[in-house]
Amino acid sequence: MERITQAQLAAEAGIGVRWLREIESGSPKPSIEDHLRCAGRLGLPAGYFFLPMMFLQNRRSFPADLLHGDMNRLQEHCIEFIIEDYYLGAVIRKGRRAGVPVDDASLRGSE
């Protein structure tokens, strides 16, 4: 889709053409950094790799249709969930357990 050659991608990702061919053929030896460098050059977000891996690790089926959607938006949504719902929720609960008055709305940026 990017209309670039293997040589161009390899050069921009900082790897050799031969190594890129091994990555493309599914060689199990490339590091995650190699994959991420190539993905970054092609405009694929890290979530393209990590979200399916999280599903797999939790023994859940990954809905393949998600890979064809807006992965940048999905990745951003995941980050927002972690920050707003998970992390801030933990801070609020910890504060309440310690007897500190916590205003949920101000911590979450709401009015």
Side-chain angles (χ1 to χ4, degrees):
M1 287 176 22
E2 291 287 323
R3 302 264 190 244
I4 63 173
T5 66
Q6 286 180 324
Q8 289 171 313
L9 177 58
E12 292 177 23
I15 60 176
V17 175
R18 184 174 177 189
W19 189 238
L20 176 61
R21 287 186 186 131
E22 286 190 41
I23 293 170
E24 288 181 337
S25 70
S27 171
K29 296 183 182 185
S31 68
I32 191 70
E33 290 85 8
D34 291 335
H35 285 285
L36 291 175
R37 268 189 249 132
C38 291
R41 167 52 188 91
L42 295 172
L44 297 172
Y48 192 83
F49 293 101
F50 295 118
L51 289 174
M53 288 170 39
M54 290 184 333
F55 273 76
L56 180 64
Q57 185 177 27
N58 287 281
R59 294 184 177 93
R60 294 182 182 228
S61 254
F62 182 75
D65 291 348
L66 289 178
L67 293 176
H68 302 291
D70 186 350
M71 285 299 289
N72 286 314
R73 184 168 178 256
L74 180 59
Q75 181 174 292
E76 184 64 29
H77 181 73
C78 290
I79 291 168
E80 289 300 319
F81 172 78
I82 290 167
I83 292 169
E84 292 178 11
D85 292 346
Y86 185 79
Y87 176 72
L88 288 180
V91 168
I92 291 167
R93 286 188 299 278
K94 186 176 180 180
R96 288 186 177 146
R97 280 194 303 270
V100 176
V102 179
D103 179 8
D104 295 17
S106 66
L107 282 174
R108 294 184 189 278
S110 303
E111 294 185 23

